[in-house]
Amino acid sequence: MRLSKNSLLRVLHYLIPLGILLTCIFLRWQDVPFVDQMRMSVFDTYQRIAPRPFEDVGVRIIDIDEKSLEELGQWPWPRTRLAGLVYRLRSAGARVVGFDVVFAEPDRTSPARVVKDWPKGREIGEITALAESLPDHDSLFAKFIRGTGQVVTAIQLSTKKLETPPRQIGNFSVSGEAGRQLSDFIAVLPGAAKNLDVIEEAASGNALVNVSPGQDGVVRRVPLLAALDYDLPAIGMPIYPTLSMEMLRVLQDAPRTMNVRLSGASGSARWTQSEGVEAIRVGAVTIPTDYAGYMWVHFTGHKPERYISAVDVMTDKLPADSLRNTYVLIGTSAAGLLDLRSTPLDRVLPGVEVHAEMLEQMLLGHFLTRPYWAAESESLALLLIGLFFVFAVPRLGAVWPAVIGGTLAFGAAGISWWAYDAKLLLIDPVYPLVSLLAVYLATSSIGFMRTEGERRQVRTAFGNYLSPALVNELSRHPERLKLGGETRDMTLMFCDVRGFTSISEGFKSNPQGLTRLINRLLTPLTKCILDREGTIDKYMGDCIMAFWNAPLDVENHAHHACDSALAMRQALDVLNTERLAEAKRDNEPFLPLNIGIGINCGDCLVGNMGSDQRFDYSVLGDAVNLASRLEGQSKNYGVDIVLGEEVAKRVENDFATLELDLIAVKGKSEAVHIFALLGDGKLCHTDAFRNCAALHKSMLAAYRQQHWQEAENLIAQCRQASRGIGALAGLYDMYAERIATFRTSPPPADWNGVFVATSK
């Protein structure tokens, strides 16, 4: 089945925006880079507007800064110096010490290694033997780590393959998602940079220092755990915690097993099909995560209060008790050591401070989260509001959906900000709003193009009910589209369908069929008018109002109107013939269509009339009202075309007309002569018509003189003479009925034959 152009446009008005909506939802779930970056930019803005307030909970960074390198020498320092640093920290009251440094290579300053670089001489053997008898710096460092306790060393997962994996001290248990492995969700890397075995064996914890910046190089979230692609007997892939979380475990002297709760675990408030990590419990602290086990960092920004220069610790320059009950991370801010990161608040920040901020949040129980249901909620809101736009804009227009959409946009932004500021939840308002804007623009743009197309069709359609001359005139002179008018001599026509109520009753269950029938009727009738320089003023249901001689002059406009009326009669006959054949074919009842036409001439006011907001080119005047009344009287006189007296005078030599009556139509006290239009000039000049017209004229004279018998005799003759000329039987029946009434109830003696109409 082929769709019309308009039907296709209507379908596309829904399909194209719907396709855009579904594409936006698809891109959202694919997490394409630009979508993710858009979301991250919003969350960064929130953090810049309202960063986490800094609360000093005792997290300190022992900073291997430029000052320390200048006074104590270049990096790497001897492990004996680092051993002294650990000893001083623990002695000063630091509760836990975490290294943001990997000790992957042996200490070159160990005596046995230094002597290898000395020149060969006679004493080298003795010196080598003496050096080998001295303590190895790595072993000494490991003894200090073991002896002081509560020290966490670092692992850097990478793409570099290792023969043996780093030591896994903290283990993980998993609840929820039966049959799923933790490695199904978290990051898995093929290799790692690990500490020397002797150092690892001495540590209380071994942890990741990876911070995983986003695609734009900005750190926003950090993996709390990651796996190494290495198969260990009995346990499979080793999994390592991040530095801050391992320090939290060691600090609490918690069991080595930390619990990872997946989204399907018992007690999880899961209402979607999302899968992945939901939270990690370390001792008494539960840390919410995203599906891949990442923790969102709620930054305070760089705080100098966190930092203590390593050289100040080594030279005992710190005030007493300044490190008591602190949680210490050892890292570097020196630019040359390449541990600098970018965050939403700082373009350059030492990586160790990211771990410090995370540890602060864990100690405070302050967690910024993007709940697992956020993506589903955002997509559901996008779908529902998008469908509203898809279906509402074509019906309501662009304005009200825009107002509603703007309200929803402000509401979504407000809710998102409230969720962040009050509940520490990250809800993305921007991508749904941008997607909805795309859907709205597509819908309204298609609507605009469709409207413009309809306007073009309307301009084309003006030719169906306005004279082409008017369309051209208004196209050339649009300034004429203003309120006001002019008085012109015009011919007016009203045409109405007879018995339309009975016809419409047959279409109670098929209103579309009634519409098609009316269009099928009005189309040829309209063409008859327009082809003869007429203008359609308006359609009123099954009625047509038309006029001639405006806005441009039309010569012999009364003739054009009469010619149009006769053509309309012929067009109606053709249509009824077609409908009769269709009714017989479909075995359906047939009701013929009949019309009544009233035509009148006179001076009228014509022009653009209405209000400043809307006006129509129309016509007003007494002649218009009379034309309407004449059309209404056609059914009473049993003829289909009734002319006013002025029209009859103008066309009497070119059209076959007969006077119908002297009548005072309803609403008028003055009587007028009205006439029937029977045919064109050919009929007018036939002997049969002339004979009929003479008898008819005599009949009217006898009737008005109250010569009832003579009038009745002439009626009989008129019936005989009118055969083949026109359908006048109803007219003569009416006069016969009047005469019968007047015989029993005679009119006044001064009666002049005027009939006072009581109906329109």
Side-chain angles (χ1 to χ4, degrees):
M1 179 178 179
R2 295 185 60 185
L3 290 174
S4 67
K5 184 177 180 181
N6 287 339
S7 299
L8 180 60
L9 287 175
R10 283 195 294 270
V11 171
L12 292 178
H13 203 168
Y14 294 100
L15 286 183
I16 292 177
L18 185 60
I20 293 175
L21 174 62
L22 296 178
T23 299
C24 290
I25 293 175
F26 174 78
L27 292 177
R28 168 64 190 83
W29 281 103
Q30 293 300 308
D31 242 351
V32 295
F34 84 88
V35 174
D36 183 65
Q37 189 58 43
M38 187 184 304
R39 182 166 55 249
M40 296 305 172
S41 297
V42 176
F43 299 158
D44 291 352
T45 301
Y46 287 172
Q47 293 220 42
R48 285 191 286 269
I49 295 173
R52 176 171 65 89
F54 176 66
E55 296 180 59
D56 190 356
V57 293
V59 176
R60 295 292 182 269
I61 297 171
I62 304 305
D63 187 14
I64 304 170
D65 54 4
E66 300 290 351
K67 173 185 174 183
S68 299
L69 295 178
E70 183 177 341
E71 295 188 22
L72 299 179
Q74 68 181 17
W75 185 264
W77 289 343
R79 304 283 157 81
T80 51
R81 184 176 296 163
L82 292 173
L85 177 62
V86 170
Y87 176 77
R88 283 178 168 82
L89 292 172
R90 292 287 285 139
S91 298
R95 298 182 62 186
V96 63
V97 175
F99 276 98
D100 187 25
V101 179
V102 179
F103 304 106
E105 302 292 336
D107 186 356
R108 293 183 180 180
T109 65
S110 292
R113 290 185 179 83
V114 171
V115 74
K116 292 180 181 179
D117 295 328
W118 286 12
K120 306 299 181 184
R122 287 181 302 173
E123 297 85 4
I124 192 63
E126 296 178 9
I127 295 173
T128 299
L130 178 61
E132 289 178 349
S133 67
L134 295 175
D136 178 77
H137 288 185
D138 294 317
S139 299
L140 186 62
F141 182 41
K143 288 181 181 179
F144 269 84
I145 290 175
R146 181 178 288 108
T148 59
Q150 304 295 86
V151 175
V152 177
T153 51
I155 306 166
Q156 181 78 46
L157 290 185
S158 67
T159 57
K160 181 181 178 181
K161 286 283 188 179
L162 280 178
E163 292 185 3
T164 58
R167 181 188 176 203
Q168 180 183 342
I169 301 176
N171 296 318
F172 297 92
S173 65
V174 179
S175 59
E177 298 291 347
R180 301 300 297 271
Q181 300 294 323
L182 186 55
S183 57
D184 293 338
F185 306 110
I186 65 175
V188 178
L189 292 175
K194 56 169 287 189
N195 295 287
L196 298 174
D197 291 341
V198 66
I199 296 174
E200 276 190 354
E201 290 298 325
S204 301
N206 206 21
L208 295 170
V209 291
N210 299 65
V211 292
S212 301
Q215 59 183 351
D216 57 353
V218 177
V219 176
R220 300 179 180 89
R221 46 190 176 172
V222 174
L224 292 185
L225 64 172
L228 182 64
D229 189 10
Y230 194 96
D231 190 17
L232 291 175
I235 67 170
M237 289 186 184
I239 297 174
Y240 304 95
T242 196
L243 177 59
S244 53
M245 189 167 71
E246 183 75 336
M247 289 177 67
L248 182 67
R249 182 188 67 79
V250 172
L251 171 66
Q252 296 181 91
D253 196 22
R256 290 189 175 185
T257 300
M258 293 168 277
N259 179 255
V260 180
R261 187 172 66 186
L262 301 183
S263 56
S266 175
S268 175
R270 179 183 183 187
W271 57 274
T272 71
Q273 294 302 312
S274 296
E275 295 183 340
V277 182
E278 185 177 301
I280 301 174
R281 185 174 182 84
V282 183
V285 179
T286 299
I287 307 168
T289 71
D290 69 3
Y291 69 95
Y294 281 66
M295 171 182 165
W296 290 86
V297 186
H298 196 187
F299 291 96
T300 64
H302 176 66
K303 298 296 178 183
E305 302 95 306
R306 295 189 179 106
Y307 285 82
I308 297 174
S309 178
V311 68
D312 292 340
V313 178
M314 296 297 294
T315 55
D316 299 320
K317 293 181 180 180
L318 296 179
D321 296 333
S322 59
L323 288 173
R324 183 165 301 281
N325 292 324
T326 57
Y327 318 96
V328 173
L329 295 105
I330 300 175
T332 178
S333 66
L337 299 185
L338 303 178
D339 189 28
L340 300 177
R341 308 293 181 184
S342 293
T343 72
L345 302 185
D346 299 282
R347 293 185 63 185
V348 178
L349 185 77
V352 67
E353 193 166 1
V354 176
H355 294 291
E357 294 221 35
M358 293 174 65
L359 183 56
E360 285 177 354
Q361 290 181 244
M362 295 174 188
L363 294 171
L364 289 167
H366 177 107
F367 298 107
L368 185 65
T369 60
R370 177 160 169 79
Y372 66 89
W373 46 260
E376 286 88 345
S377 300
E378 293 159 5
S379 298
L380 181 61
L382 171 57
L383 177 63
L384 294 179
I385 302 174
L387 289 175
F388 166 75
F389 282 150
V390 169
F391 292 101
V393 173
R395 290 172 168 79
L396 302 180
V399 176
W400 276 111
V403 172
I404 296 171
T407 303
L408 292 174
F410 281 109
I415 291 173
S416 175
W417 171 254
W418 173 83
Y420 166 79
D421 191 50
K423 300 297 182 181
L424 298 179
L425 299 177
L426 295 174
I427 307 296
D428 176 22
V430 171
Y431 182 72
L433 293 179
V434 170
S435 300
L436 291 173
L437 179 62
V439 173
Y440 171 77
L441 290 177
T443 307
S444 56
S445 297
I446 294 171
F448 174 78
M449 290 186 290
R450 180 181 169 189
T451 301
E452 283 300 304
E454 289 174 347
R455 286 176 179 172
R456 286 192 296 271
Q457 290 178 349
V458 167
R459 287 192 291 269
T460 301
F462 268 123
N464 293 330
Y465 60 93
L466 294 178
S467 66
L470 175 58
V471 177
N472 294 333
E473 179 73 11
L474 295 181
S475 299
R476 291 193 300 268
H477 302 289
E479 68 277 3
R480 298 192 63 175
L481 287 174
K482 60 183 179 180
L483 295 180
E486 59 181 333
T487 300
R488 298 178 70 101
D489 174 49
M490 301 180 64
T491 299
L492 299 310
M493 173 192 284
F494 282 82
C495 172
D496 194 14
V497 177
R498 295 281 168 255
F500 185 70
T501 301
S502 300
I503 295 173
S504 61
E505 287 179 352
F507 288 90
K508 284 184 177 179
S509 61
N510 184 17
Q512 293 83 4
L514 181 60
T515 301
R516 288 193 295 270
L517 177 61
I518 290 298
N519 293 339
R520 191 176 177 186
L521 168 66
L522 296 183
T523 298
L525 300 187
T526 298
K527 186 176 186 302
C528 293
I529 295 171
L530 296 180
D531 287 349
R532 290 156 182 83
E533 301 185 53
T535 296
I536 304 298
D537 183 290
K538 59 179 67 71
Y539 296 101
M540 297 165 286
D542 58 322
C543 179
I544 303 174
M545 176 181 173
F547 55 78
W548 280 259
N549 204 37
L552 303 179
D553 294 336
V554 177
E555 292 185 5
N556 298 321
H557 46 85
H559 289 70
H560 287 294
C562 292
D563 193 24
S564 297
L566 295 175
M568 294 164 71
R569 175 193 289 167
Q570 293 178 358
L572 183 63
D573 290 340
V574 172
L575 176 60
N576 279 328
T577 301
E578 293 175 354
R579 292 181 58 245
L580 176 60
E582 293 168 1
K584 290 180 178 179
R585 180 195 64 199
D586 299 333
N587 195 24
E588 294 179 350
F590 171 70
L591 287 176
L593 292 171
N594 297 297
I595 58 174
I597 298 174
I599 303 175
N600 192 43
C601 284
D603 290 338
C604 302
L605 179 66
V606 62
N608 295 306
M609 300 177 190
S611 65
D612 289 331
Q613 292 78 23
R614 178 177 178 179
F615 51 82
D616 293 316
Y617 191 82
S618 188
V619 60
L620 295 174
D622 185 65
V624 179
N625 298 331
L626 181 55
S628 176
R629 298 292 188 270
L630 296 180
E631 177 275 318
Q633 291 300 320
S634 63
K635 60 179 177 294
N636 297 328
Y637 288 91
V639 296
D640 55 0
I641 306 173
V642 179
L643 308 180
E645 186 173 1
E646 182 61 29
V647 179
K649 288 180 180 179
R650 297 186 188 190
V651 303
E652 62 181 350
N653 295 323
D654 301 306
F655 290 88
T657 64
L658 286 179
E659 182 179 358
L660 293 175
D661 204 354
L662 180 62
I663 184 173
V665 297
K666 189 172 183 180
K668 292 179 66 68
S669 59
E670 183 180 351
V672 295
H673 292 275
I674 61 174
F675 296 79
L677 177 63
L678 301 180
D680 57 12
K682 293 181 180 180
L683 178 62
C684 176
H685 300 296
T686 63
D687 293 337
F689 174 74
R690 289 174 179 170
N691 179 51
C692 179
L695 290 171
H696 184 83
K697 185 176 181 180
S698 299
M699 184 274 294
L700 288 179
Y703 167 77
R704 290 166 184 163
Q705 295 171 9
Q706 302 185 35
H707 298 161
W708 310 128
Q709 186 60 49
E710 180 183 356
E712 285 181 339
N713 293 336
L714 288 170
I715 288 174
Q717 296 179 50
C718 288
R719 288 182 190 274
Q720 184 67 29
S722 64
R723 291 176 181 174
I725 293 177
L728 297 174
L731 173 65
Y732 295 127
D733 289 343
M734 182 198 71
Y735 272 107
E737 184 178 346
R738 283 188 190 177
I739 292 171
T741 301
F742 286 149
R743 283 183 183 276
T744 57
S745 300
D750 60 348
W751 179 67
N752 58 0
V754 174
F755 175 75
V756 179
T758 58
S759 65
K760 296 182 179 181

